[in-house]
Amino acid sequence: MIRSTLAAITMLCWAGTAIAQTAEQSEESRWSIAIHGGAGTIERDKITPEKDTEIRAALDQALAIGSQILKDGGSAMDAITATIIAMENDPNFNAGKGAVFTWDKTNELDSSIMDGSDLSAGAVAGISGTKNPILLARAVKDHSPHVMLSGEGANQFSREQGLEQVPPDYYATPYRLKQIDDLLAKQVSAADVDYKYGTVGAVAMDKNGHMAAGTSTGGMTGKRWGRIGDSPVIGAGTYADDRSCAISATGSGEYFIRLGVAHEICTRLKMATKPEGIECPSQSEDVISFCTARRVLSDEEIQQIADDVIAELGTLGGDGGIIYATPWGQAGYSFNTPGMYRGRATSAGENSVAIYGDEQ
């Protein structure tokens, strides 16, 4: 009985390995990337045709930068870093240039980045003075023993790392100044001001099968008391693991933190790839080999898992969305708001940007 069971397992293990090897051979040149520039009440009657065109062009440009790096064989980390820098430099988004103002009319920026190949990560919260917060998050990952730095300590680390510094008024735009002035004059509520969450993010898989994710934001208009949302929180707003997915989130950060959205989606995907119909308590090499083989998830399975977690977020009262990339080459999104600035491109030929909820 034991021999027959082990024989069956060995056959399954051989089949699984063969399938994995075939898939690996056919996917050697695969890459994918997805980006977002925020989610919320993004509807056609709230955006002028001129602004619609401008935002699509900004998304196209950022997507093209990351896609080219991946096409050329560059790493997922380099692709998302360059993509996010492009969006941080664009005043249409709430990250870097164009970041929103706090209650005290200052700017406090947050960012995070994660490498799925070794689970290394870096994050910064409540910073100012650094032109591109995503570069500071990456410096924390690459050049410090820590995962997250905040406030003046993070600013000091940025200067020590030689990152480009900017004066306090660099982040300001007339639009953001009007937002905070209206809020402080109590002409509008915070909910009305933040009809969309302008956080930016990117996720990618490179030709080596490595995943990466990054997120950057100016936070919430009129925030007080050093409030920090999900964007710099590894597992909430950003997560990457070569075994499951890369996720970047945007939305009502408190709810994303409570649900651990980014990590939750990756965990569910990882669990769903486990082989079905067999328990794996034995330490036999054959059994271990089979149990470490992972099945490939379909587009529909991946989308359903992402949608389920975002639905749970909505049940808690949270709004927003996520972008994802997977080890099998898929890239996509899930959101429960009327729209989300988004785009995706893959080696299979997908290349698109979208704004409204009724767009594919």
Side-chain angles (χ1 to χ4, degrees):
M1 182 65 178
I2 294 175
R3 284 184 178 179
S4 61
T5 300
L6 285 175
I9 291 173
T10 301
M11 290 181 66
L12 286 169
C13 176
W14 177 87
T17 302
I19 292 170
Q21 288 174 342
T22 302
E24 183 178 350
Q25 290 168 358
S26 64
E27 295 171 8
E28 285 178 353
S29 61
R30 279 192 179 182
W31 57 265
S32 64
I33 185 170
I35 67 173
H36 71 74
T41 311
I42 301 172
E43 300 170 325
R44 286 181 173 83
D45 62 352
K46 289 182 168 62
I47 299 176
T48 66
E50 294 77 15
K51 182 59 69 173
D52 179 297
T53 300
E54 192 176 312
I55 291 170
R56 288 180 193 273
L59 292 169
D60 267 326
Q61 180 187 30
L63 190 62
I65 290 170
S67 297
Q68 192 61 55
I69 291 172
L70 295 169
K71 286 178 186 176
D72 292 343
S75 71
M77 282 294 296
D78 287 346
I80 65 161
T81 301
T83 298
I84 292 173
I85 286 173
M87 291 190 283
E88 287 178 334
N89 291 343
D90 192 302
N92 281 299
F93 306 112
N94 173 22
K97 181 71 173 177
V100 300
F101 284 88
T102 69
W103 185 266
D104 297 319
K105 297 189 76 169
T106 61
N107 301 105
E108 296 176 358
L109 300 94
D110 309 324
S111 187
S112 62
I113 198 166
M114 187 166 186
D115 187 337
S117 68
D118 60 4
L119 303 187
S120 60
V124 291
I127 68 162
S128 62
T130 300
K131 181 180 180 182
N132 294 110
I134 194 66
L135 289 178
L136 181 50
R138 185 161 178 176
V140 172
K141 183 187 85 70
D142 292 342
H143 304 300
S144 87
H146 309 299
V147 170
M148 182 182 286
L149 300 180
S150 66
E152 187 50 43
N155 294 337
Q156 178 182 344
F157 181 73
S158 177
R159 295 189 293 270
E160 291 175 357
Q161 290 297 306
L163 298 180
E164 184 175 356
Q165 302 296 299
V166 293
D169 61 357
Y170 165 79
Y171 308 108
T173 64
Y175 176 64
R176 296 304 188 193
L177 285 167
K178 185 178 185 306
Q179 277 188 325
I180 190 62
D181 287 340
D182 287 348
L183 177 62
L184 294 176
K186 301 192 185 304
Q187 294 176 10
V188 295
S189 70
D192 291 329
V193 168
D194 287 319
Y195 71 92
K196 64 180 182 298
Y197 307 99
T199 297
V200 306
V203 296
M205 180 193 75
D206 60 34
K207 290 183 178 181
N208 291 318
H210 296 315
M211 316 291 298
T215 311
S216 183
T217 187
M220 177 186 293
T221 301
K223 67 180 180 179
R224 306 177 75 178
W225 311 300
R227 178 263 185 188
I228 298 170
D230 65 303
S231 295
V233 179
I234 300 301
T238 301
Y239 200 77
D241 185 339
D242 281 4
R243 299 168 295 177
S244 54
C245 67
I247 301 286
S248 174
T250 176
S252 45
E254 283 71 12
Y255 296 93
F256 280 82
I257 293 172
R258 288 165 59 188
L259 196 55
V261 167
H263 184 267
E264 180 70 14
I265 293 173
C266 286
T267 297
R268 293 190 191 189
L269 286 171
K270 186 166 65 175
M271 295 300 293
T273 65
K274 293 178 66 175
E276 298 176 351
I278 186 170
E279 297 296 328
C280 301
S282 170
Q283 294 303 303
S284 161
E285 289 186 7
D286 288 335
V287 176
I288 292 172
S289 179
F290 173 74
C291 290
T292 56
R294 298 280 175 176
R295 71 184 187 89
V296 175
L297 299 183
S298 68
D299 295 356
E300 293 75 18
E301 288 175 301
I302 293 164
Q303 190 64 51
Q304 188 61 59
I305 288 172
D307 289 347
D308 286 346
V309 175
I310 294 302
E312 290 182 25
L313 178 82
T315 300
L316 285 177
D319 294 328
I322 60 95
I323 52 174
Y324 64 77
T326 75
W328 312 288
Q330 297 102 330
Y333 358 84
S334 180
F335 54 97
N336 65 2
T337 50
M340 181 165 77
Y341 300 144
R342 61 198 187 277
R344 60 181 167 186
T346 70
S347 53
E350 169 72 33
N351 194 314
S352 63
V353 298
I355 293 178
Y356 311 109
D358 58 4
E359 297 180 272
Q360 294 299 316

